Amino acid sequence: MRDTTIQPTAGAGTRGVRRAVPEPCAMVVFGGTGDLARRKLVPALYNLACDGSLPEGFAVVGVGRREQTTDAFRATHLESTARFSRSQPLRAETWRRFAERLDYVAGDFHDPRTFTKLRDWLARADEAHGTGGNRLFYFATAASEFPALLKGLSEARLLYAPGADATAPWSRVVVEKPFGRDLASARALDQLVAANLAERQVFRIDHYLGKETVQNILVFRFGNAVFEPLWNRKYVDHVQITAAEELGVEGRGRFYDETGVLRDIVQNHLLQLLALFAMEPPVTFAADDIRDRKVDVLRALRPLSAESVARDVVVAQYRGFRDEPDVARDSRTPTYAAVRLFVDTWRWEGVPFYVRMGKRLPKKGTEISIHYRHAPNVLYNSAVGAEAVPGNVLVIRIQPNEGISLGIRSKRPGPAATLQPVKMDFAYQTSFGKGSPEAYERLLLDAMAGDATLFARKDEVETAWSYVDLIEDAWHKSPNPPKMSEYPAGSWGPKEADELLERDGHEWRHARR
Ligand code: BG6
């Protein structure tokens, strides 16, 4: 990372944070007409344009197989940005100015001529838009295309080796998740990446890390004196992490059938949340210090055997998944998973973590809940309601209705000693008066600034794969694979997932809006 400045943050009692400044660059989106570009990337860039956060010298080009004019490409993105942008309604003048910097190059990723065309376009962008020779290549395609993209870019000499001179033009690559399909393919991809790029040019994106609420986990833990002392096996009974989605596979049947919930969510988003939640304090907030501590958590995950997978892992499909377009009629791809896992560190030994995620659940909601041990009931065991009133639960609402709440027991006013659960609640909307930016906005700016703090490092990705592979292997390679459960679309998942907790005397806290 070069050139860091203090960007002031406004308001009494707030502290400025050190952030790198995004530099002029041309961004190239491979898969420029795909779902991700339409739903997330271009709307994020447009919102950055609205906020005036894009570098002065900036242009973006989509690369895809489809032959189409630049006007048609812009029209497609106008329509999808109007639909998916977080800020509404679309500002016509801002879009017009943004669209002048939005272009399209058609070509096959396996054809060297595509990269020659791209090189010419980049040279023109430097002239027309002052992008200064800096290139941000975004791989928003299926992982199977990554090798062809690296080869094409490298042969066209579009990947420069980073020099000692910090002012020399740079090229960086942002790679979408899942990075590979398993440990072996992730390693092969890493080798290919290493043959063409230095690690500091590679940005493995996991958009959960760009969410404000996810970044706030570290501030909440290490910036407050009262919570961290209770963040361990002495006080915590168990932890639940839920990532529920109401949507199904939404026209991504082929991708999803190849990927499934373990590769789509568990290997990346879920394990990243777990790592931030369970990690030890880093020495500093430098990218590698944080990533070192996160990888410690992943390395400490208790290994799963075929036996423990059968006992502690539930995978399931929603009813109707196999009738979705582009999904195999005999598909064994899970759309839901629940895992009972342990982080075998000094801090967490013996504390069960129950994590679950799935599509077509009753509502969207991602949260972490920390269930504290009960206070000794000797004083209140005769109080009315003592049995039914839950102990303290701290809930970090990642999305929606972002915030943090602590459930406490209180005496209900009146002559009787009646206990009642009440809540202390922090809501982003109330405290900060505005919604948070989309994760992709923050991450794109960080990549333009060369700040890798919120991106996954090679060893994090590989360690996460070695855990997920254990589950995948038990399901796909075992001669007696455990049965695939089923759940009705719109329900909270299969009954086996409830049983996973019931065995330990617990129950899921339903994710709430
Ligand atoms: C993506 C997955 O990474 O995350 C999708 O590929 C999923 O399947 C999405 O829907 C969820 O993201 P968010 O930010 O809506 O929770």
Side-chain angles (χ1 to χ4, degrees):
M1 183 168 78
R2 59 179 148 135
D3 190 18
T4 52
T5 56
I6 303 284
Q7 294 205 335
T9 47
T14 59
R15 292 280 308 273
V17 280
R18 191 169 278 270
R19 268 201 68 187
V21 176
E23 295 162 49
C25 62
M27 179 171 164
V28 179
V29 182
F30 293 101
T33 49
D35 191 67
L36 182 72
R38 279 183 289 117
R39 276 175 190 268
K40 298 287 186 189
L41 300 179
V42 175
L45 292 170
Y46 160 76
N47 276 289
L48 291 172
C50 290
D51 294 347
S53 308
L54 284 178
E56 198 47 42
F58 180 75
V60 55
V61 62
V63 185
R65 276 189 202 89
R66 191 179 312 162
E67 285 295 340
Q68 62 177 328
T69 62
T70 295
D71 283 346
F73 180 71
R74 288 176 181 165
T76 307
H77 279 291
L78 171 59
E79 194 242 322
S80 47
T81 304
R83 190 160 153 222
F84 298 119
S85 162
R86 85 177 149 85
S87 64
Q88 293 288 350
L90 214 66
R91 295 193 225 153
E93 182 52 20
T94 311
W95 175 264
R96 194 190 59 73
R97 275 187 279 118
F98 171 71
E100 283 170 1
R101 302 192 270 177
L102 179 65
D103 209 341
Y104 184 70
V105 166
D108 190 301
F109 301 153
H110 298 260
D111 182 350
R113 282 173 301 179
T114 305
F115 297 89
T116 318
K117 274 200 268 179
L118 185 59
R119 198 176 50 206
D120 296 345
W121 183 90
L122 287 164
R124 287 199 302 275
D126 286 342
E127 285 285 308
H129 300 291
T131 45
N134 295 330
R135 280 84 176 90
L136 187 66
F137 298 109
Y138 199 117
F139 292 4
T141 65
S144 51
E145 304 282 9
F146 297 170
L149 294 176
L150 281 170
K151 182 166 175 278
L153 289 172
S154 166
E155 285 175 2
R157 300 191 184 286
L158 287 167
L159 300 174
Y160 333 130
D165 177 4
T167 59
W170 49 257
S171 51
R172 299 180 187 137
V173 172
V174 183
V175 190
E176 258 301 328
K177 52 135 286 249
F179 190 84
R181 277 191 63 74
D182 51 19
L183 180 59
S185 57
R187 280 197 175 139
L189 203 51
D190 273 327
Q191 273 174 8
L192 200 62
V193 164
N196 292 285
L197 297 154
E199 178 67 18
R200 69 190 145 109
Q201 292 176 280
V202 187
F203 292 74
R204 295 176 189 79
I205 201 162
D206 179 325
H207 78 278
Y208 260 53
L209 294 177
K211 291 184 191 279
E212 280 292 339
T213 42
V214 173
Q215 292 164 46
N216 195 37
I217 294 174
L218 294 191
V219 179
F220 184 71
R221 290 187 55 191
F222 304 129
N224 295 292
V226 296
F227 299 107
E228 190 55 24
L230 308 181
W231 214 264
N232 57 56
R233 62 190 297 279
K234 245 171 107 179
Y235 298 98
V236 176
D237 180 74
H238 71 279
V239 180
Q240 298 184 15
I241 307 181
T242 294
E245 291 189 79
E246 201 173 346
L247 297 179
V249 296
E250 304 304 301
R252 295 194 306 159
R254 180 163 301 119
F255 162 80
Y256 199 85
D257 196 17
E258 278 173 18
T259 311
V261 71
L262 294 170
R263 296 189 176 98
D264 190 39
I265 304 281
V266 179
Q267 191 272 344
N268 32 77
H269 303 333
L270 233 293
L271 289 182
Q272 285 290 339
L273 279 185
L274 175 74
L276 286 168
F277 174 87
M279 69 187 243
E280 294 302 317
V283 175
T284 73
F285 280 131
D288 278 333
D289 286 340
I290 297 180
R291 300 194 291 186
D292 284 346
R293 295 293 76 82
K294 281 198 294 170
V295 88
D296 285 347
V297 174
L298 301 176
R299 288 176 51 216
L301 288 171
R302 187 177 297 172
L304 292 164
S305 60
E307 228 171 41
S308 59
V309 167
R311 189 186 59 228
D312 292 337
V313 179
V314 174
V315 289
Q317 269 178 358
Y318 64 80
R319 215 165 283 150
F321 172 65
R322 284 179 300 221
D323 301 326
E324 298 273 13
D326 299 325
V327 172
R329 297 293 161 255
D330 59 351
S331 168
R332 277 183 54 77
T333 302
T335 61
Y336 175 100
V339 186
R340 174 178 177 269
L341 57 86
F342 290 89
V343 179
D344 284 336
T345 58
W346 182 267
R347 185 188 284 264
W348 295 115
E349 196 272 332
V351 176
F353 285 75
Y354 305 100
V355 303
R356 64 174 170 168
M357 47 264 115
K359 298 230 178 248
R360 299 304 305 270
L361 299 185
K363 48 191 166 189
K364 185 172 175 72
T366 303
E367 65 168 42
I368 305 178
S369 57
I370 302 118
H371 300 248
Y372 285 96
R373 291 186 190 284
H374 279 278
N377 241 348
V378 286
L379 293 177
Y380 289 107
N381 56 5
S382 60
V384 183
E387 278 299 296
V389 178
N392 303 119
V393 181
L394 182 69
V395 181
I396 302 176
R397 297 189 303 271
I398 305 293
Q399 63 187 17
N401 186 18
E402 291 82 356
I404 298 176
S405 69
L406 177 62
I408 52 178
R409 293 164 141 192
S410 176
K411 176 182 176 299
R412 184 192 296 166
T418 304
L419 297 192
Q420 183 172 323
V422 292
K423 244 197 260 161
M424 295 204 265
D425 203 8
F426 147 56
Y428 276 69
Q429 190 63 41
T430 322
S431 298
F432 300 119
K434 58 174 183 178
S436 303
E438 277 276 333
Y440 277 98
E441 295 173 34
R442 166 70 195 265
L443 295 174
L444 288 174
L445 285 184
D446 282 1
M448 291 176 204
D451 182 350
T453 311
L454 300 178
F455 294 81
R457 201 172 55 190
K458 173 172 173 274
D459 53 343
E460 276 180 79
V461 174
E462 291 187 2
T463 316
W465 274 125
S466 42
Y467 188 72
V468 167
D469 278 1
L470 296 172
I471 306 178
E472 286 283 354
D473 287 355
W475 281 87
H476 294 288
K477 295 192 187 151
S478 156
N480 302 308
K483 86 172 194 346
M484 167 76 69
S485 310
E486 212 186 39
Y487 59 101
S491 75
W492 277 110
K495 66 175 182 359
E496 289 83 351
D498 295 336
E499 289 161 10
L500 199 64
L501 273 72
E502 282 161 15
R503 273 195 337 241
D504 295 343
H506 302 311
E507 60 181 24
W508 291 109
R509 212 192 92 81
H510 282 174
R512 296 176 316 126
R513 277 185 205 282

